[in-house]
């Protein structure tokens, strides 16, 4: 009985230790590190040869946004597919019109920027560990809904990277990684909207999220493109102020 009591106390201590680590505050990194990670994120979203690879991360956030909002709106999430050309598809069942469908359709292009904004708020509050663990949990939850091999591989590799950094690296490395990820989401949320606008000018993407929203709301697709641009820009400005600790 005594051994059992000792084990119970140890288990409680371990849980409390993990909780303290998750909710604890970490010191802010030096300004040079914040600026360096911003520059690195800019490079990761710039040249096409790099962007065609890193864009997969934005696609994960995009499709994850569709899926999360669909669930929150009471829709049935059928599955998510991620493709090697960095496109994706999220299927959900439910009422084909109404507020739930509008919010689900609007969540894709806004998700990377809004996730970046939320991440910037956590980093600005000194909660680097909470950011990394939260991101890892979301990736693992999303993995369950992936329905194609390439998508599974992408999610496993991305989740493994977050897990390894969260558990096996020093606080300085965790801080650098966290800031790089958040800067990337804030900057990477801008480019896909411009790419969509360019495709539509050339007569492509006839069934894009903006066009679906136009059919659902009777507001022209350019209005929704303007909305996506506004969300991305506001998130970048607001998130950047938090990351740079600008009062």
């Amino acid at each position: 009985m005594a051994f059992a009591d000792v084990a119970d106390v140890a288990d409680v201590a371990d849980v409390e230790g993990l909780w303290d680590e998750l909710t604890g505050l970490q010191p802010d990194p030096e300004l040079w590190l914040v600026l360096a990670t911003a520059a690195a994120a800019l490079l990761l979203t710039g040249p096409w040869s790099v962007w065609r690879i890193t864009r997969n991360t934005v696609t994960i956030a995009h499709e994850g946004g569709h899926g999360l909002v669909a669930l929150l709106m009471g829709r049935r999430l059928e599955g998510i597919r991620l493709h090697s050309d960095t496109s994706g598809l999220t299927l959900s069942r439910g009422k084909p019109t109404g507020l739930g469908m509008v919010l689900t359709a609007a969540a894709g292009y806004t998700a990377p920027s809004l996730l970046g904004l939320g991440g910037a708020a956590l980093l600005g509050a000194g909660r680097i560990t909470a950011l990394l663990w939260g991101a890892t949990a979301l990736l693992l939850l999303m993995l369950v809904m992936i329905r194609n091999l390439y998508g599974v591989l992408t999610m496993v590799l991305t989740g493994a990277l977050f897990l390894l950094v969260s558990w096996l690296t020093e606080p300085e490395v965790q801080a650098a990684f966290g800031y790089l990820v958040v800067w990337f989401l804030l900057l990477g949320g801008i480019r896909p909207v411009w790419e969509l606008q360019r495709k539509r000018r050339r007569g492509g993407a006839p069934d894009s999220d903006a066009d679906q929203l136009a059919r659902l709301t009777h507001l022209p697709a350019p209005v929704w493109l303007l909305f996506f641009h506004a969300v991305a820009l506001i998130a970048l400005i607001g998130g950047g102020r938090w990351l740079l600790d600008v009062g």
Side-chain angles (χ1 to χ4, degrees):
M1 185 69 176
F3 288 112
D5 292 340
V6 171
D8 291 342
V9 171
D11 290 341
V12 171
D14 289 341
V15 171
E16 291 180 347
L18 287 173
W19 179 252
D20 290 341
E21 185 175 354
L22 176 62
T23 59
L25 300 180
Q26 291 77 44
D28 294 332
E30 298 290 338
L31 179 59
W32 70 264
L33 179 62
V34 179
L35 295 175
T37 54
L42 190 59
L43 290 174
L44 291 174
T45 59
W48 173 248
S49 59
V50 177
W51 175 244
R52 66 191 298 270
I53 299 173
T54 59
R55 196 183 191 279
N56 284 284
T57 305
V58 176
T59 302
I60 290 173
H62 180 116
E63 300 304 331
H66 281 314
L68 177 61
V69 174
L71 290 174
L72 292 176
M73 292 296 102
R75 300 179 61 82
R76 180 182 175 184
L77 186 58
E78 295 288 309
I80 299 173
R81 291 177 175 269
L82 305 173
H83 303 136
S84 59
D85 62 355
T86 73
S87 66
L89 178 65
T90 299
L91 296 175
S92 64
R93 291 187 179 276
K95 187 178 178 182
T97 58
L99 180 62
M101 189 61 202
V102 170
L103 293 178
T104 299
Y109 278 97
T110 58
S113 296
L114 294 178
L115 286 172
L117 183 62
L122 287 174
L123 292 178
R127 301 189 181 278
I128 299 171
T129 301
L131 168 73
L132 296 177
W133 288 18
T136 303
L138 288 175
L139 289 168
L140 290 175
L141 289 174
M142 186 174 170
L143 175 61
V144 178
M145 299 308 302
I146 299 296
R147 294 294 182 265
N148 66 319
L149 182 59
Y150 180 82
V152 170
L153 178 61
T154 301
M155 293 300 301
V156 168
L157 291 175
T158 305
L161 177 60
F162 272 83
L163 194 61
L164 289 173
V165 171
S166 300
W167 287 93
L168 300 180
T169 64
E170 298 297 321
E172 294 80 6
V173 177
Q174 294 178 7
F177 182 74
Y179 274 79
L180 176 62
V181 168
V182 171
W183 276 121
F184 177 79
L185 288 172
L186 291 172
L187 293 168
I190 293 176
R191 184 164 177 174
V193 185
W194 287 105
E195 291 176 341
L196 174 60
Q197 185 171 332
R198 193 160 54 244
K199 285 180 181 179
R200 295 191 74 260
R201 282 178 182 171
R202 298 171 180 172
D207 199 35
S208 70
D209 292 356
D211 293 283
Q212 292 182 42
L213 285 164
R215 291 193 290 270
L216 288 167
T217 63
H218 304 294
L219 291 174
V223 172
W224 286 104
L225 283 170
L226 182 62
F227 171 72
F228 295 156
H229 281 302
V231 170
L233 182 60
I234 291 171
L236 176 59
I237 294 173
R241 289 175 65 88
W242 273 324
L243 295 175
L244 295 169
D245 195 21
V246 177

